[in-house]
Amino acid sequence: MFTTLLQVAEQPQGSMLMSFLPFILIIAIFYFFMIRPQQKRQKELNNFRDALKKGDHVMTTGGIYAKVAEVKEDCIILEISEGVKVKFDKSAILSATDKGLQQQ
């Protein structure tokens, strides 16, 4: 074991960099292909949720199609049927939908 430590200490700096290069490349690949796109999607979803207004047709994370009846600071009141209103957290809104989808 002591001889192994001496061999590592005697290696030039270039080989030390070459041993860490694969790890650096893997981290860069994870960042550019997984982490960065996910952050971009999350930012777009937050902007969408902040831009919701009365009358928009949306789908919740539970698959409920509804129309926005009222927007408050941290929650949204959705009308899921004529006269039936339900209160949802803003984070439960998944996407916007077409009006025709809701009437089927």
Side-chain angles (χ1 to χ4, degrees), residues 58-66 78-80 86 88 92-93 95 97:
V58 296
M59 183 178 75
T60 66
T61 55
I64 298 173
Y65 290 88
L78 300 177
E79 185 173 3
I80 57 175
V86 182
F88 280 90
I93 307 301
S95 64
T97 61

Side-chain angles (χ1 to χ4, degrees), residues 64-82:
I64 298 173
Y65 290 88
K67 182 172 79 171
V68 176
E70 187 179 340
V71 178
K72 295 185 178 181
E73 191 169 324
D74 59 344
C75 66
I76 295 180
I77 298 175
L78 300 177
E79 185 173 3
I80 57 175
S81 185
E82 187 87 22

Side-chain angles (χ1 to χ4, degrees), residues 26-81:
I26 289 171
I27 291 170
I29 288 170
F30 272 113
Y31 177 75
F32 284 110
F33 289 110
M34 296 179 78
I35 297 169
R36 190 167 176 229
Q38 181 63 31
Q39 288 175 341
K40 183 178 177 185
R41 273 185 250 128
Q42 188 65 39
K43 185 177 179 182
E44 288 173 357
L45 187 58
N46 287 338
N47 290 340
F48 161 72
R49 289 174 179 156
D50 290 338
L52 284 173
K53 61 187 181 303
K54 184 177 180 177
D56 289 345
H57 293 269
V58 296
M59 183 178 75
T60 66
T61 55
I64 298 173
Y65 290 88
K67 182 172 79 171
V68 176
E70 187 179 340
V71 178
K72 295 185 178 181
E73 191 169 324
D74 59 344
C75 66
I76 295 180
I77 298 175
L78 300 177
E79 185 173 3
I80 57 175
S81 185

